[in-house]
Amino acid sequence: MPFFYGTDIYYWIVLIPAMLLAGIAQIRVSTTFNRWSKVASSRGLTGARAAEAVLRFHGVYDVRIERVSGRLSDHYDPQSNVIRLSDSVYGVNSVAAVGVAAHEAGHAVQYAQGYGPIRVRSAIIPLSNIGSQLSIVFILIGLFLYSQTLFGIGVLLFSVAVVGQLVTLPVEFNASRRAIVTLESGDFLDNQELKGAKKVLSAAAMTYVAALVVSLAQLLRFVLAFSSRRRD
């Protein structure tokens, strides 16, 4: 049976809008970051200094802050307890850099304070990564061998990957909320700059939402294909 069968039109009605949403989200985060990268923070904060200030504000002192190559490759590594900031953030004095760095510091604070959802995410992400890597392999082999069992395993593994994305959402939103509240409470940005930081982090958050929507659309596609195979 062909992979797209029977309800092919329905798949594309769902999948294409989801992919368009993902594309729009990526464009938005890029344009928003670029816009606020041109606006310097009045306090003279660089990304690295902003991350350090957020950590100190919450009484966290054992997290290192390092520079990493790339653009928007910023992340917090809980295993090494290191915040890695990209070239466009680390030493840059801009509202965008401050917002992104504060967000990553927010993740470090989540771990330091034992934020519940971050623990759930840490537990499920390894399984989610395995599901993401192996799901398509099983699905394709299942299709090639016309094996309902292998195809079903692939769908199940893909479902685990989607759950990982779902669990990530509240963690990302909470890190952004912590960042904005801290920047405001600590008077690290003025009101107009704070609005810019919110826009940058909101645009970044939407990329996670869009990625989840695409994955859900693909999961629906696989489930419908699996159901069609069972009826044949």
Side-chain angles (χ1 to χ4, degrees):
M1 183 198 74
F3 181 67
F4 299 108
Y5 178 77
T7 54
D8 193 23
I9 295 177
Y10 179 71
Y11 296 156
W12 286 106
I13 288 175
V14 174
L15 190 58
I16 287 180
M19 295 179 70
L20 286 174
L21 176 63
I24 291 171
Q26 288 294 336
I27 292 172
R28 185 185 171 210
V29 73
S30 180
T31 55
T32 305
F33 183 83
N34 288 340
R35 176 186 174 188
W36 289 99
S37 288
K38 299 174 183 177
V39 180
S41 67
S42 58
R43 308 295 191 268
L45 286 176
T46 62
R49 289 179 58 190
E52 183 180 1
V54 170
L55 293 173
R56 286 203 310 266
F57 187 89
H58 290 278
V60 180
Y61 299 97
D62 61 342
V63 178
R64 297 197 317 276
I65 302 171
E66 299 177 352
R67 187 170 194 153
V68 64
S69 61
R71 184 176 185 274
L72 295 179
S73 53
D74 314 88
H75 64 279
Y76 169 66
D77 180 355
Q79 294 184 338
S80 302
N81 201 23
V82 174
I83 294 174
R84 298 190 175 95
L85 302 177
S86 63
D87 294 330
S88 55
V89 171
Y90 184 89
V92 178
N93 169 23
S94 74
V95 171
V98 169
V100 170
H103 172 89
E104 299 306 332
H107 282 309
V109 173
Q110 287 174 334
Y111 276 94
Q113 296 182 351
Y115 176 60
I118 199 75
R119 294 180 177 179
V120 176
R121 181 182 181 275
S122 296
I124 200 171
I125 282 300
L127 295 176
S128 178
N129 289 338
I130 292 174
S132 178
Q133 294 168 3
L134 295 181
S135 60
I136 301 301
V137 175
F138 275 92
I139 287 172
L140 291 177
I141 293 176
L143 287 169
F144 182 75
L145 298 179
Y146 205 77
S147 170
Q148 182 176 306
T149 299
L150 292 177
F151 190 84
I153 292 173
V155 174
L156 181 61
L157 288 171
F158 193 83
S159 300
V160 174
V162 173
V163 170
Q165 288 182 296
L166 182 62
V167 172
T168 293
L169 283 186
V171 173
E172 293 298 328
F173 279 110
N174 180 264
S176 290
R177 185 186 64 80
R178 288 173 185 264
I180 294 300
V181 169
T182 304
L183 291 174
E184 184 176 19
S185 301
D187 196 30
F188 298 120
L189 295 176
D190 64 30
N191 290 335
Q192 191 61 31
E193 294 166 355
L194 196 63
K195 291 180 181 178
K198 288 180 180 178
K199 290 180 180 179
V200 170
L201 296 184
S202 175
M206 284 306 300
T207 62
Y208 289 95
V209 174
L212 175 61
V213 170
V214 170
S215 293
L216 287 172
Q218 291 176 327
L219 178 60
L220 176 61
R221 181 184 178 196
F222 294 147
V223 169
L224 290 175
F226 181 67
S227 299
S228 296
R229 291 179 68 87
R230 294 188 65 182
R231 289 195 298 266
D232 289 349

